[in-house]
Amino acid sequence: MFQHLISPASRRHSEKPAVFTSSRHISLHSTNRSVVFVVSLVFFLIGGCEKSRDALLDSTGTPPVLRGVALSPSIINTDSIGIGTAQSPQDNVQLSTTVTATVEQAGAPSPITVITTVRRDLGSGLLSTTQLSDDGQAPDTQRDDGIYSGKLSFGIKRVEIGTYAVETVAETKNGYRSASQIVQLRVIRSNLPPAISDVQAPDTVTLGNQNQALQLRVKATDPNGLEDIQRVIFNSFRPDGQPSSGNPFQMFDDGEQTGISGDQVKGDGIYSLRISLPASTQTGTYRFEFRAFDRLNEGSNTIVHSITVRP
C-alpha cells in the first residue's frame, strides 16, 4: 500500500527505517503531505531530547572547600569539671567545645550546610552532632564571612579519657559535598592521687587488766595540694581476720590535741586518731590498713601496720 503513497525515488532518498516505521503505523492511508508531517514530528522530538540533555549538563556546580577546622578548647581535662565536691571516676560529665570551620565556594554562591560530628574513634558510634552557622550569632562572630561556628557538646564518664574524632563536612543546597576534615579532641585527666607515709603507732600493747589508749598518726600528701585531700581512714581486722565493726575509722588533721583525734597541729598533713582498747579486748595480732582519698575519690597507697595485743 506504501507504493501508492511514495514513489520509489522518494523512498530511496529518505530511507530512514525509524521514520518509516513510525509513519507506517500512524497513517497507512495518508497523502504525501501527511507523511512529511510525521517525519517532521519525529525530528522535532529528537531535537527536544537533545535540548533536555543540554539543560541537564547546565545544572552543574562545584563542591565547597573546607580550608580549616579548629576546636576551642582542643584539650579538655575532666578533672576540672565539678572540683570542690566529692567526685568519682565513674561520674557522668558533660564536655563542650566550639568548632570553627572556614568554607570557600567557587562560582555562583549556593546555600551551604556545615555539619560536625564526634565519635570515640572513627569506627565507633556517633556521640553527638551539631550544625555550624555563619549568621553572626554566638559563637559565630561575623555574618556571611565564610567562617562557620557552633557548640559541640557530649557526655562521657570522667575516666573515659583519650582522643576523640571530630569530623566536619560542608554541603551545598544542590547536593555538592566537600571533603571532610577530622580534627582531634584530647580528653585527659590531670589529677594525681594522694600518698601516705610515716605511720606512727605502737607495735605491741599490754592490757594489764585495764583500758589502754592508743594514739595513731599518718602523714598524707597530695600533688594537687593538701586541700585536695578529702579523707584519711584506716580499717582494722581482728586476729581471726574478721573486720572490726567500726570500719572505716576516720582520722583528722584538726589540731584538737585534747579531742577525739589527739592531733597536734591543724593543717600540717598529719592525720590522727586516738582509740581505746578495753581490758576485755581479744588478745592477738591486729592488722591496721591506712589509706587517703582525694576529692575525686582517687585512693592513695595502702600502708599495713600490725599491733599485737597482749594480756
Side-chain angles (χ1 to χ4, degrees), residues 13 72 134:
H13 179 70
S72 181
D134 186 16

Side-chain angles (χ1 to χ4, degrees), residues 20-82:
F20 285 120
T21 300
S22 299
S23 62
R24 185 180 297 119
H25 289 284
I26 293 173
S27 181
L28 296 178
H29 301 283
S30 299
T31 65
N32 289 339
R33 182 178 299 177
S34 298
V35 174
V36 172
F37 172 77
V38 173
V39 173
S40 300
L41 177 61
V42 172
F43 279 109
F44 173 78
L45 293 175
I46 293 174
C49 291
E50 290 176 351
K51 185 174 182 180
S52 298
R53 184 164 61 250
D54 291 341
L56 179 61
L57 292 175
D58 289 340
S59 181
T60 59
T62 56
V65 178
L66 284 176
R67 291 300 182 191
V69 177
L71 305 179
S72 181
S74 59
I75 301 175
I76 300 178
N77 177 9
T78 62
D79 289 337
S80 67
I81 302 173

Side-chain angles (χ1 to χ4, degrees), residues 203-250:
D203 296 325
T204 304
V205 175
T206 300
L207 292 174
N209 296 322
Q210 58 183 353
N211 296 345
Q212 298 291 333
L214 303 183
Q215 182 67 58
L216 308 179
R217 293 189 175 94
V218 65
K219 183 178 181 179
T221 59
D222 192 302
N224 301 110
L226 288 176
E227 64 276 7
D228 193 41
I229 297 176
Q230 184 184 36
R231 68 189 188 280
V232 177
I233 57 99
F234 68 82
N235 290 298
S236 65
F237 300 85
R238 297 195 294 263
D240 60 2
Q242 294 299 310
S244 299
S245 59
N247 287 344
F249 296 88
Q250 185 164 348

Side-chain angles (χ1 to χ4, degrees), residues 133-147:
S133 300
D134 186 16
D135 56 4
Q137 301 296 315
D140 189 56
T141 57
Q142 184 174 337
R143 182 184 179 91
D144 297 331
D145 63 350
I147 301 176

Side-chain angles (χ1 to χ4, degrees), residues 183-217:
V183 294
Q184 295 181 341
L185 175 64
R186 290 182 56 206
V187 179
I188 64 172
R189 294 191 70 195
S190 63
N191 181 67
L192 296 174
I196 58 170
S197 60
D198 304 333
V199 171
Q200 301 176 31
D203 296 325
T204 304
V205 175
T206 300
L207 292 174
N209 296 322
Q210 58 183 353
N211 296 345
Q212 298 291 333
L214 303 183
Q215 182 67 58
L216 308 179
R217 293 189 175 94

